Amino acid sequence: MNLFDAIAHRRSVRSFLDKTVEREKIVSIFSAVRLAPSARNAQEWRFILVTDPELREKVATAGGQPFLKQCPVIVVACAETDKRIMRCGEPAYPIDVAIAIDHLTLAATAMGLGTCWIGSFDPEPVKEVLQIPNEVPVVELVALGYPADTERPVADKHRLPLTEILWENQWRKPFSV
Ligand SMILES: Cc1cc2nc3c(=O)[nH]c(=O)nc-3n(C[C@H](O)[C@H](O)[C@H](O)COP(=O)(O)O)c2cc1C
């Protein structure tokens, strides 16, 4: 699968087979993750893989989304960060962690695995269960496993047309080919 195929086929998977994700695949995925770019190459991302069934249940409960309970790996994406604000006024760490997660989801797709980003969760109980220090932000959870549902056609993706998101030389000035 080339990069454009992986981008087209990646989708949010919310139903997983009861099948272990091979550790070699996890190593391959995170070898792609660690190559992500980051502001000042700070690489502040840290990941905890939750594979233990009891812990998974607890993290899934904190996640508040029932499908997390049946996914074999919950990736808890954190940042060990000084929360630096870039000159543009935006914090670097959530952007850096998000890029790393995008590498994760695309690499997983290329290996036949499914993922789902989870931003709707309560970080405090997740921190407590996994003994994550208070000052460490938990940026996202990511469900990872073999999809149990069938893939939707790529054409079913609801996305804004290029004309609404891509302009040239001036705000809202159309880009034409
Ligand atoms: C930052 C972020 C947070 C998200 N949080 C959740 C979530 O809490 N629960 C969920 O089911 N999906 C979540 N999603 C998945 C989006 O709903 C999904 O990416 C979007 O609807 C597009 O669908 P697709 O991923 O299948 O292309 C999140 C996605 C992103 C990027």
Side-chain angles (χ1 to χ4, degrees):
M1 199 182 270
N2 73 26
L3 177 63
F4 282 87
D5 291 333
I7 290 170
H9 287 277
R10 188 220 51 82
R11 65 197 170 91
S12 292
V13 172
R14 298 183 179 89
S15 170
F16 295 93
L17 297 179
D18 183 17
K19 180 176 170 188
T20 304
V21 179
E22 299 84 342
R23 297 187 90 78
E24 303 73 41
K25 286 199 175 180
I26 290 177
V27 170
S28 299
I29 290 167
F30 281 87
S31 300
V33 166
R34 65 180 279 280
L35 298 181
S38 59
R40 292 188 176 175
N41 199 21
Q43 305 168 59
E44 294 177 323
W45 46 65
R46 305 287 181 266
F47 302 94
I48 303 175
L49 305 182
V50 185
T51 53
D52 175 83
E54 228 172 87
L55 285 177
R56 243 173 41 210
E57 170 92 22
K58 287 183 182 164
V59 172
T61 302
Q65 312 206 20
F67 75 86
L68 276 180
K69 292 193 180 168
Q70 46 101 232
C71 92
V73 182
I74 302 174
V75 181
V76 180
C78 310
E80 218 169 6
T81 177
D82 57 6
K83 301 192 176 165
R84 196 176 69 82
I85 306 294
M86 297 182 285
R87 234 182 104 208
C88 64
E90 306 296 338
Y93 80 86
I95 296 173
D96 294 342
V97 173
I99 298 167
I101 295 173
D102 207 45
H103 280 212
L104 187 170
T105 61
L106 294 176
T109 302
M111 306 191 88
L113 288 155
T115 57
C116 187
W117 292 66
I118 308 290
S120 174
F121 70 95
D122 183 356
E124 292 314 319
V126 174
K127 284 186 179 185
E128 198 179 315
V129 169
L130 303 176
Q131 298 172 38
I132 298 170
N134 221 6
E135 69 279 9
V136 170
V138 181
V139 180
E140 285 283 321
L141 307 180
V142 183
L144 174 67
Y146 284 95
D149 54 352
T150 47
E151 189 167 344
R152 296 183 301 273
V154 173
D156 273 7
K157 275 190 180 284
H158 297 293
R159 293 296 191 269
L160 297 172
L162 274 188
T163 48
E164 286 188 37
I165 62 165
L166 178 65
W167 304 314
E168 189 166 20
N169 292 325
Q170 193 182 308
W171 184 251
R172 295 207 188 285
K173 189 173 171 206
F175 168 84
S176 55
V177 186

Short mmCIF file of all heavy atoms in Angstrom, two decimals, residues 7 10-14 63 65 67 98 115-121 139-141 152 157-159, ligand 1:
data_model
loop_
_atom_site.label_atom_id
_atom_site.label_comp_id
_atom_site.label_asym_id
_atom_site.label_seq_id
_atom_site.Cartn_x
_atom_site.Cartn_y
_atom_site.Cartn_z
N ILE A 7 -3.73 6.74 3.06
CA ILE A 7 -4.54 7.92 3.43
C ILE A 7 -6.00 7.69 3.04
O ILE A 7 -6.92 7.99 3.81
CB ILE A 7 -3.97 9.19 2.77
CG1 ILE A 7 -2.63 9.56 3.42
CG2 ILE A 7 -4.96 10.35 2.85
CD1 ILE A 7 -1.85 10.66 2.71
N ARG A 10 -7.54 4.80 5.38
CA ARG A 10 -7.65 5.03 6.83
C ARG A 10 -9.05 5.56 7.15
O ARG A 10 -9.59 6.40 6.46
CB ARG A 10 -6.62 6.05 7.31
CG ARG A 10 -6.60 6.16 8.84
CD ARG A 10 -6.43 7.59 9.32
NE ARG A 10 -7.38 8.49 8.70
CZ ARG A 10 -8.64 8.66 9.12
NH1 ARG A 10 -9.11 8.00 10.17
NH2 ARG A 10 -9.46 9.49 8.49
N ARG A 11 -9.65 5.00 8.17
CA ARG A 11 -10.98 5.43 8.60
C ARG A 11 -11.07 5.13 10.08
O ARG A 11 -10.23 4.39 10.61
CB ARG A 11 -12.05 4.63 7.83
CG ARG A 11 -11.99 3.15 8.19
CD ARG A 11 -12.72 2.27 7.21
NE ARG A 11 -12.43 0.88 7.49
CZ ARG A 11 -13.14 0.10 8.29
NH1 ARG A 11 -14.21 0.57 8.88
NH2 ARG A 11 -12.80 -1.15 8.53
N SER A 12 -12.04 5.69 10.72
CA SER A 12 -12.20 5.40 12.15
C SER A 12 -12.87 4.05 12.31
O SER A 12 -13.97 3.83 11.81
CB SER A 12 -13.04 6.49 12.82
OG SER A 12 -12.31 7.70 12.82
N VAL A 13 -12.17 3.15 13.00
CA VAL A 13 -12.68 1.80 13.25
C VAL A 13 -13.17 1.75 14.70
O VAL A 13 -12.42 2.10 15.62
CB VAL A 13 -11.58 0.76 12.99
CG1 VAL A 13 -12.02 -0.64 13.43
CG2 VAL A 13 -11.19 0.77 11.51
N ARG A 14 -14.40 1.35 14.89
CA ARG A 14 -14.98 1.31 16.25
C ARG A 14 -15.49 -0.07 16.62
O ARG A 14 -16.29 -0.23 17.53
CB ARG A 14 -16.10 2.36 16.35
CG ARG A 14 -15.60 3.79 16.13
CD ARG A 14 -16.69 4.84 16.29
NE ARG A 14 -16.17 6.19 16.10
CZ ARG A 14 -16.10 6.82 14.94
NH1 ARG A 14 -16.52 6.23 13.83
NH2 ARG A 14 -15.62 8.05 14.87
N GLY A 63 -12.46 6.37 29.25
CA GLY A 63 -12.67 6.86 27.88
C GLY A 63 -14.15 7.07 27.60
O GLY A 63 -14.50 7.88 26.74
N GLN A 65 -16.26 5.34 26.11
CA GLN A 65 -16.78 4.88 24.82
C GLN A 65 -16.71 3.34 24.81
O GLN A 65 -15.61 2.78 24.80
CB GLN A 65 -15.98 5.49 23.67
CG GLN A 65 -15.83 6.98 23.90
CD GLN A 65 -15.64 7.80 22.66
OE1 GLN A 65 -15.95 7.38 21.55
NE2 GLN A 65 -15.12 8.98 22.84
N PHE A 67 -16.89 0.90 22.86
CA PHE A 67 -16.11 0.09 21.91
C PHE A 67 -14.64 -0.06 22.32
O PHE A 67 -13.96 -1.01 21.91
CB PHE A 67 -16.24 0.62 20.47
CG PHE A 67 -15.47 1.88 20.18
CD1 PHE A 67 -14.14 1.80 19.79
CD2 PHE A 67 -16.06 3.12 20.27
CE1 PHE A 67 -13.42 2.95 19.50
CE2 PHE A 67 -15.36 4.28 19.98
CZ PHE A 67 -14.04 4.19 19.61
N ALA A 98 -0.06 15.10 17.68
CA ALA A 98 -1.06 14.80 16.64
C ALA A 98 -0.38 14.29 15.36
O ALA A 98 -0.88 13.35 14.72
CB ALA A 98 -1.91 16.03 16.35
N THR A 115 -7.77 1.85 13.44
CA THR A 115 -7.53 2.78 14.55
C THR A 115 -8.73 3.71 14.71
O THR A 115 -9.51 3.88 13.78
CB THR A 115 -6.30 3.67 14.30
OG1 THR A 115 -6.49 4.37 13.08
CG2 THR A 115 -5.00 2.87 14.24
N CYS A 116 -8.82 4.29 15.88
CA CYS A 116 -9.76 5.41 16.06
C CYS A 116 -9.18 6.38 17.08
O CYS A 116 -8.76 5.97 18.17
CB CYS A 116 -11.13 4.91 16.54
SG CYS A 116 -12.37 6.24 16.56
N TRP A 117 -9.11 7.63 16.69
CA TRP A 117 -8.71 8.68 17.62
C TRP A 117 -9.81 8.84 18.66
O TRP A 117 -10.99 8.83 18.32
CB TRP A 117 -8.61 10.03 16.92
CG TRP A 117 -7.55 10.25 15.91
CD1 TRP A 117 -7.42 9.65 14.70
CD2 TRP A 117 -6.50 11.22 16.00
NE1 TRP A 117 -6.35 10.19 14.03
CE2 TRP A 117 -5.77 11.16 14.79
CE3 TRP A 117 -6.12 12.15 16.98
CZ2 TRP A 117 -4.67 11.97 14.54
CZ3 TRP A 117 -5.03 12.96 16.73
CH2 TRP A 117 -4.31 12.86 15.53
N ILE A 118 -9.42 9.08 19.91
CA ILE A 118 -10.41 9.38 20.96
C ILE A 118 -9.97 10.63 21.70
O ILE A 118 -8.97 10.62 22.43
CB ILE A 118 -10.52 8.23 22.00
CG1 ILE A 118 -10.75 6.87 21.33
CG2 ILE A 118 -11.60 8.53 23.02
CD1 ILE A 118 -12.09 6.70 20.71
N GLY A 119 -10.73 11.70 21.47
CA GLY A 119 -10.45 12.93 22.21
C GLY A 119 -11.46 13.13 23.32
O GLY A 119 -11.25 13.94 24.22
N SER A 120 -12.55 12.39 23.25
CA SER A 120 -13.61 12.54 24.24
C SER A 120 -13.38 11.57 25.39
O SER A 120 -13.94 10.47 25.42
CB SER A 120 -14.95 12.26 23.54
OG SER A 120 -15.96 12.26 24.48
N PHE A 121 -12.51 11.95 26.31
CA PHE A 121 -12.23 11.10 27.47
C PHE A 121 -11.81 12.00 28.63
O PHE A 121 -11.42 13.16 28.42
CB PHE A 121 -11.11 10.08 27.14
CG PHE A 121 -9.75 10.70 26.97
CD1 PHE A 121 -8.86 10.77 28.04
CD2 PHE A 121 -9.36 11.25 25.76
CE1 PHE A 121 -7.61 11.37 27.89
CE2 PHE A 121 -8.12 11.85 25.61
CZ PHE A 121 -7.24 11.91 26.67
N VAL A 139 -2.86 13.55 25.75
CA VAL A 139 -3.38 14.32 24.62
C VAL A 139 -4.53 13.59 23.93
O VAL A 139 -5.55 14.19 23.58
CB VAL A 139 -2.25 14.64 23.61
CG1 VAL A 139 -2.76 15.46 22.42
CG2 VAL A 139 -1.11 15.38 24.30
N GLU A 140 -4.38 12.32 23.71
CA GLU A 140 -5.38 11.52 22.98
C GLU A 140 -5.29 10.07 23.42
O GLU A 140 -4.23 9.62 23.89
CB GLU A 140 -5.13 11.56 21.46
CG GLU A 140 -5.51 12.84 20.77
CD GLU A 140 -7.01 12.99 20.54
OE1 GLU A 140 -7.69 12.00 20.22
OE2 GLU A 140 -7.49 14.12 20.69
N LEU A 141 -6.36 9.34 23.19
CA LEU A 141 -6.30 7.88 23.21
C LEU A 141 -6.47 7.43 21.77
O LEU A 141 -7.12 8.11 20.97
CB LEU A 141 -7.44 7.28 24.04
CG LEU A 141 -7.63 7.79 25.47
CD1 LEU A 141 -8.82 7.07 26.12
CD2 LEU A 141 -6.36 7.61 26.29
N ARG A 152 -15.90 0.99 4.66
CA ARG A 152 -16.80 1.82 3.84
C ARG A 152 -16.06 2.22 2.57
O ARG A 152 -14.85 2.40 2.60
CB ARG A 152 -17.17 3.11 4.59
CG ARG A 152 -17.96 2.89 5.86
CD ARG A 152 -18.34 4.25 6.46
NE ARG A 152 -17.18 5.08 6.78
CZ ARG A 152 -16.51 5.03 7.93
NH1 ARG A 152 -16.87 4.19 8.86
NH2 ARG A 152 -15.48 5.82 8.15
N LYS A 157 -16.55 9.03 2.31
CA LYS A 157 -15.97 9.96 3.29
C LYS A 157 -16.62 11.34 3.13
O LYS A 157 -16.65 11.88 2.04
CB LYS A 157 -14.46 10.08 3.08
CG LYS A 157 -13.67 9.00 3.78
CD LYS A 157 -12.19 9.32 3.72
CE LYS A 157 -11.35 8.28 4.40
NZ LYS A 157 -11.39 8.34 5.86
N HIS A 158 -17.12 11.87 4.23
CA HIS A 158 -17.72 13.20 4.15
C HIS A 158 -16.62 14.22 4.37
O HIS A 158 -16.12 14.38 5.48
CB HIS A 158 -18.82 13.35 5.20
CG HIS A 158 -19.94 12.39 4.99
ND1 HIS A 158 -20.77 12.48 3.89
CD2 HIS A 158 -20.34 11.31 5.68
CE1 HIS A 158 -21.65 11.48 3.94
NE2 HIS A 158 -21.40 10.76 5.02
N ARG A 159 -16.25 14.88 3.32
CA ARG A 159 -15.19 15.88 3.42
C ARG A 159 -15.57 17.12 2.60
O ARG A 159 -16.26 17.01 1.58
CB ARG A 159 -13.86 15.33 2.87
CG ARG A 159 -13.26 14.20 3.68
CD ARG A 159 -12.87 14.65 5.09
NE ARG A 159 -12.07 13.65 5.79
CZ ARG A 159 -12.55 12.68 6.58
NH1 ARG A 159 -13.86 12.55 6.75
NH2 ARG A 159 -11.74 11.82 7.17
C1 LIG B 1 -8.64 14.83 17.38
C2 LIG B 1 -9.70 13.79 17.11
C3 LIG B 1 -10.55 13.38 18.14
C4 LIG B 1 -11.51 12.40 17.90
N1 LIG B 1 -12.26 11.94 18.95
C5 LIG B 1 -13.13 10.92 18.75
C6 LIG B 1 -13.85 10.37 19.85
O1 LIG B 1 -13.71 10.77 20.99
N2 LIG B 1 -14.68 9.32 19.59
C7 LIG B 1 -14.84 8.79 18.33
O2 LIG B 1 -15.59 7.83 18.18
N3 LIG B 1 -14.17 9.32 17.27
C8 LIG B 1 -13.33 10.35 17.44
N4 LIG B 1 -12.61 10.87 16.38
C9 LIG B 1 -12.81 10.31 15.04
C10 LIG B 1 -13.57 11.27 14.12
O3 LIG B 1 -14.93 11.25 14.46
C11 LIG B 1 -13.36 10.84 12.66
O4 LIG B 1 -11.98 10.93 12.35
C12 LIG B 1 -14.13 11.69 11.66
O5 LIG B 1 -15.52 11.54 11.84
C13 LIG B 1 -13.80 11.32 10.20
O6 LIG B 1 -14.07 9.95 9.96
P1 LIG B 1 -12.93 8.94 9.48
O7 LIG B 1 -11.85 8.95 10.54
O8 LIG B 1 -13.62 7.60 9.40
O9 LIG B 1 -12.41 9.40 8.17
C14 LIG B 1 -11.67 11.85 16.59
C15 LIG B 1 -10.80 12.28 15.56
C16 LIG B 1 -9.83 13.22 15.82
C17 LIG B 1 -8.88 13.61 14.71
#
